[in-house]
Amino acid sequence: MDKKIYLDNAATTATRPEVVEAMLPYFTEKFGNPSSIYEFASQNKKAVTDAREIIAKSLGANAAEIYFTGGGSESDNWALKATAEAYKEKGNHIITSKIEHHAILHTCEYLEKNGFEVTYVGVDENGVLKLDELKAAIRPTTILISVMFANNEIGTIQPIKEIGEIAKQNNILFHTDAVQAYMQLDINVDDLNIDMLSASGHKINGPKGIGFLYIRKGVKIRSLIHGGAQERSRRAGTENVPAIVGYGKAVEIAMDTFKERTEKEIELRNYLIERVLAEVPYTRLNGHRTKRLPNNSNFSFQFIEGESLLIMLDMKNICGSSGSACTSGSLDPSHVLLAIGLPHEIAHGSLRLTLNEDITKEELDYVVTNVKEIVDKLRSMSPLYEDYVKGIN
Ligand SMILES: *Cc1c(COP(=O)(O)O)cnc(C)c1O
């Protein structure tokens, strides 16, 4: 196949042509600064306001509760560091999960070095947060619970409504990293008792380097960047108007296509999962079978190295990602796969394939054929596999 088959949509997505088109005038003829007084700049101010309103509506929030940021990592950092600072009189304890994105985990480590205490709640074998463990972790000094809406590696959707209720009953703030869930799942911040929510543009066919943090009215939070009065003085700096406009457009399209798009993804995902599990022996699906993101699949193939599989898939024009974090310069397997109880050697043989609605069944057939062939080939070179097969014969 000459065409590239891109199955790494959890890492980033293509910016839609309609999004690029909406952005372009804001680089050129409409370059004004939204803070300026004259008529020429007022269209920029309006463009930012419009995008903010589209996003607020998508969550059942008010526009004044949406703060634009430089992406998901920034939103996560802000939510944690600023609440820690603003609520330190009340307490120094934060609860999160073992399977968060590094934007949360590394921020928690930073806070631990600065006098805060963090409890990392575990998950079951499907990656679902242990609610009993969460309840038991609550202390009088707990100021924040931060649990991701859905996991970026294994796609598991968390019991967010239950977590929101537990937080509310105990008068604790609840933040969720919804970078993967936003526009893949239906989210209403009031129904779910969410106080803060992080999202990112480039995971939903918008531009990179833009995101937002939803902060419920009444939550005490410190300014992230001091300077001008942008973002109600909480994140100073001239707005990235083209990116904000593009983000608004991406959300608008994602809202319009929501039902059809996610239903199609679920069908394609199930097709891929069923074929791989049926046709490749010694394979397991990581993450919950049904409580999972519409576009996520994650497999572990026993007796092989995920890295070799990725490289050989790349030679067939297939882009996926591995459960081990070798690509990011570390030889440790993913913390998420270890948290669901996989032994190191199985976690190492993992492959994440994340779809979009433009993928066809024919393309997935090509992927399955190649996964089968490559896994077979890698196993034929694996002494572990040879021993295992000899053992059972
Ligand atoms: C991608 C991702 C982030 C980081 O978002 P950026 O916009 O790339 O900074 C944070 N959390 C999750 C769950 C993600 O998937």
Side-chain angles (χ1 to χ4, degrees):
M1 203 167 273
D2 291 335
K3 197 180 148 207
K4 176 170 88 288
I5 302 182
Y6 182 77
L7 293 175
D8 203 13
N9 287 281
T12 196
T13 58
T15 313
R16 285 198 172 285
E18 305 94 302
V19 170
V20 176
E21 204 182 309
M23 292 169 72
L24 285 176
Y26 291 90
F27 289 104
T28 51
E29 67 262 34
K30 299 184 184 178
F31 61 83
N33 187 324
S35 303
S36 301
I37 290 300
Y38 33 77
E39 173 62 24
F40 169 62
S42 68
Q43 58 188 341
N44 300 86
K45 189 174 182 149
K46 183 171 184 307
V48 171
T49 304
D50 289 350
R52 200 187 306 281
E53 276 167 4
I54 291 168
I55 289 169
K57 196 162 164 243
S58 73
L59 292 167
N62 291 317
E65 297 171 310
I66 303 298
Y67 296 83
F68 287 112
T69 66
S73 301
E74 183 180 315
S75 299
D76 284 345
N77 270 258
W78 188 11
L80 265 58
K81 289 177 190 166
T83 6
E85 157 104 25
Y87 289 84
K88 64 175 182 243
E89 304 302 320
K90 183 189 169 204
N92 70 341
H93 182 235
I94 292 168
I95 303 175
T96 187
S97 85
K98 286 191 174 148
I99 61 165
E100 297 297 309
H101 189 274
H102 284 133
I104 294 288
L105 291 179
H106 289 163
T107 304
C108 284
E109 285 164 24
Y110 165 82
L111 289 171
E112 282 179 295
K113 288 192 191 112
N114 285 274
F116 289 88
E117 289 173 20
V118 182
T119 304
Y120 300 87
V121 173
V123 295
D124 68 15
E125 69 278 11
N126 293 316
V128 180
L129 192 85
K130 292 180 174 160
L131 289 175
D132 291 347
E133 223 178 271
L134 169 69
K135 285 184 205 155
I138 293 172
R139 307 175 191 170
T141 53
T142 307
I143 52 175
L144 176 71
I145 296 174
S146 178
V147 175
M148 69 198 325
F149 208 111
N151 185 267
N152 47 303
E153 289 185 38
I154 58 175
T156 301
I157 301 166
Q158 297 302 335
I160 292 297
K161 196 173 170 65
E162 286 82 347
I163 300 169
E165 270 161 20
I166 293 169
K168 194 175 181 181
Q169 280 160 11
N170 290 279
N171 197 22
I172 298 166
L173 291 177
F174 176 35
H175 166 258
T176 186
D177 173 344
V179 173
Q180 292 292 332
Y182 184 57
M183 291 300 133
Q184 281 268 306
L185 304 171
D186 206 7
I187 304 178
N188 179 295
V189 287
D190 286 342
D191 291 351
L192 300 171
N193 287 315
I194 294 166
D195 294 308
M196 288 175 278
L197 177 145
S198 305
S200 173
H202 73 104
K203 303 286 175 81
I204 64 154
N205 303 102
K208 294 175 176 57
I210 186 80
F212 70 83
L213 180 63
Y214 157 79
I215 308 175
R216 180 178 291 283
K217 187 167 180 282
V219 171
K220 279 195 290 178
I221 192 160
R222 295 296 150 90
S223 295
L224 175 69
I225 298 176
H226 302 273
Q230 293 91 352
E231 302 302 304
R232 279 134 287 142
S233 298
R234 282 173 164 180
R235 185 185 185 267
T238 303
E239 297 88 341
N240 185 349
V241 180
I244 290 172
V245 167
Y247 197 8
K249 187 75 192 172
V251 171
E252 197 176 79
I253 296 171
M255 288 292 283
D256 287 347
T257 59
F258 189 87
K259 191 164 180 288
E260 209 184 331
R261 173 172 52 85
T262 52
E263 279 174 1
K264 189 171 172 207
E265 282 173 349
I266 289 173
E267 192 193 320
L268 290 167
R269 175 201 76 189
N270 289 346
Y271 177 75
L272 176 68
I273 289 175
E274 277 151 26
R275 280 204 62 188
V276 170
L277 292 181
E279 297 175 38
V280 189
Y282 311 115
T283 297
R284 57 163 278 149
L285 178 72
N286 297 314
H288 198 281
R289 184 67 185 82
T290 52
K291 287 180 205 156
R292 77 185 297 133
L293 288 168
N295 71 347
N296 174 288
S297 70
N298 186 315
F299 306 98
S300 286
F301 303 101
Q302 238 179 301
F303 313 114
I304 68 156
E305 269 291 332
E307 287 302 298
S308 320
L309 175 58
L310 278 187
I311 291 163
M312 290 173 79
L313 283 171
D314 188 25
M315 295 196 286
K316 300 287 180 182
N317 267 341
I318 300 167
C319 310
S321 107
S322 162
S324 70
C326 304
T327 37
S328 51
S330 142
L331 281 172
D332 295 334
S334 132
H335 64 286
V336 177
L337 297 178
L338 296 182
I340 62 171
L342 292 196
H344 277 242
E345 65 276 15
I346 297 194
H348 267 305
S350 298
L351 173 69
R352 178 185 73 180
L353 299 174
T354 43
L355 320 182
N356 61 52
E357 80 272 28
D358 300 327
I359 302 289
T360 63
K361 270 209 166 108
E362 291 66 40
E363 287 170 329
L364 291 181
D365 289 336
Y366 173 81
V367 171
V368 174
T369 304
N370 279 287
V371 167
K372 268 196 312 203
E373 276 177 25
I374 295 168
V375 168
D376 265 356
K377 190 166 182 180
L378 290 171
R379 281 181 180 161
S380 72
M381 301 184 297
S382 156
L384 274 174
Y385 183 62
E386 207 178 306
D387 292 349
Y388 183 82
V389 172
K390 267 189 212 138
I392 54 173
N393 283 337

